[in-house]
Amino acid sequence: MTSVDGLLDEYQGYVLAYRLRRAVGGRVAPPGVQLSLAQYAGRRLERQTLARSLITQGMDAAQMRRLDALSDELMFGFWLNPAEVAAFLRAAIREGSHPALGDPLAFAALLTPTERARLGEAGVRQVCTHFLACFTLAAPMLDPDGLTDAFRRIEATRPPLFLDDLEPRG
């Protein structure tokens, strides 16, 4: 995957996390509207600059709060960070859960009709399998072999880029 594809994949993960959190609702619902690709990129660059500054120079409390706020807004690490996944699932369960947390058909409903058409049946299955596999990261946090197996399943099902926002306009 090229670095551009990696960044687009990151944005795609953000959008699906946003849609899922919005569907679950309550306290896990994301504040504000979903960021466009351009807005996401701008905030991602700001976050990257702050993170680099933290490492090279340190930062004051206001900068640290901004870095944390950007990480939360971008849902940075939402799918692949076991601690983030576990925290989300606990919060989602407190909100009454949602079928998309375990049912591939309910998760597929998070995709737009054009995204589902672009992916086809096999692609939708791959997307659902991939993202639902990410939820398994929460369980084996203390089991290194379980964590390795979870990441192996996630990597084996990495979906292609498919979001409407990433499709070239004709």
Side-chain angles (χ1 to χ4, degrees):
M1 188 178 294
T2 68
S3 61
V4 171
D5 282 351
L7 292 172
L8 294 175
D9 185 59
E10 182 182 306
Y11 176 72
Q12 186 165 272
Y14 157 79
V15 170
L16 290 176
Y18 184 94
R19 290 175 185 174
L20 177 63
R21 288 178 56 187
R22 187 178 61 204
V24 171
R27 292 185 181 161
V28 299
V33 298
Q34 179 184 304
L35 299 173
S36 69
L37 179 57
Q39 291 169 319
Y40 182 90
R43 287 185 180 73
R44 178 67 168 88
L45 286 172
E46 181 184 357
R47 185 193 177 282
Q48 187 174 354
T49 299
L50 283 169
R52 190 177 300 116
S53 176
L54 173 65
I55 293 168
T56 60
Q57 312 168 60
M59 59 178 49
D60 62 31
Q63 290 171 310
M64 186 60 102
R65 281 191 301 277
R66 179 65 180 154
L67 178 61
D68 287 342
L70 285 167
S71 295
D72 289 345
E73 180 182 24
L74 300 174
M75 294 176 242
F76 199 74
F78 180 88
W79 293 107
L80 299 178
N81 180 326
E84 288 287 326
V85 171
F88 167 74
L89 289 174
R90 280 191 300 274
I93 289 167
R94 282 193 301 272
E95 292 300 325
S97 196
H98 190 277
L101 298 177
D103 178 7
L105 291 175
F107 194 91
L110 298 173
L111 308 178
T112 67
T114 55
E115 290 165 354
R116 287 191 298 273
R118 184 177 301 116
L119 286 164
E121 189 177 317
V124 169
R125 228 179 1 263
Q126 179 184 2
V127 166
C128 295
T129 300
H130 173 78
F131 286 102
L132 291 175
C134 291
F135 293 141
T136 65
L137 292 174
M141 285 179 58
L142 300 176
D143 176 9
D145 293 331
L147 196 58
T148 300
D149 291 342
F151 272 115
R152 194 173 297 126
R153 283 192 308 274
I154 290 164
E155 283 301 316
T157 60
R158 181 172 298 280
L161 296 172
F162 63 87
L163 283 179
D164 293 339
D165 292 345
L166 304 179
E167 195 60 20
R169 303 282 186 241

